[in-house]
Amino acid sequence: MEKSREKIFQDEIIDSLTSNGWLLGEPSQYDRELALYPEDVIGFVHDTQPDQWEKFCQRYPQESDKALLKTVATQLSKVDPNASEKEMRKYGTLGVLRNPIKDRGAYIELCAFKPDHTLNETTLAAYKKNRLRVVPELVYSPHGYDGRIDLVLFVNGIPIATLELKSEFKQSVERAVKQYKKDRPSKDPATGKPEPLLTFKRGALVHFAVSQY
């Protein structure tokens, strides 16, 4: 009974998002190793930066799509103890969303922010091509752990938020908080390897425990 109530709650959130322009994703299309939704990473670059994409493909003529995903994942995960504070701001999820990725002469942006005015039609057009996606029941771990997160939100294929849902009719939202603390470790207990989606700076920016209230 509780699961069915949570499912209704989950569907209501999904319906609200998709009715406002969000795309509904499939968990099977998520890349657990890279913690990316590849279709949207590649699609956004194709749609908004054809010149830079062509330049990137010239540098990586074989499997350009895979090369792009690898470049993005590397920038998300990068740790350089010798980098300046300014340089470090370009790494991790927030850094990748805010700053272009530079790779062999190609400058690729992974997010288009809303312009202050409508005079620049190119910037406005790019903003409208941002891909916002919600993916339900995401099995996120590349290490064999089959735990699911109720909803994960993406911007252009990059995860920005996770949501654990609880129906207040039977379980309080504190149960979701405990799930994050006890059942969603940032490292796989068996191998000690990081869980990309849940790693600080590299994974989703925020994790929400959500109830009807």
Side-chain angles (χ1 to χ4, degrees), residues 84-143:
S84 65
E85 183 178 345
K86 182 179 179 180
E87 189 69 19
M88 285 299 296
R89 291 176 187 165
K90 298 178 182 179
Y91 307 152
T93 300
L94 202 55
V96 166
L97 291 172
R98 286 178 169 173
N99 301 280
I101 291 175
K102 303 174 186 178
D103 192 311
R104 300 188 185 184
Y107 289 74
I108 294 174
E109 296 184 350
L110 273 302
C111 186
F113 291 91
K114 187 175 182 179
D116 294 332
H117 52 73
T118 59
L119 298 179
N120 190 325
E121 293 182 1
T122 301
T123 304
L124 185 61
Y127 169 71
K128 291 180 178 179
K129 289 181 180 178
N130 281 319
R131 297 184 178 206
L132 309 180
R133 191 177 293 272
V134 54
V135 181
E137 301 299 327
L138 188 69
V139 179
Y140 60 88
S141 177
H143 309 303

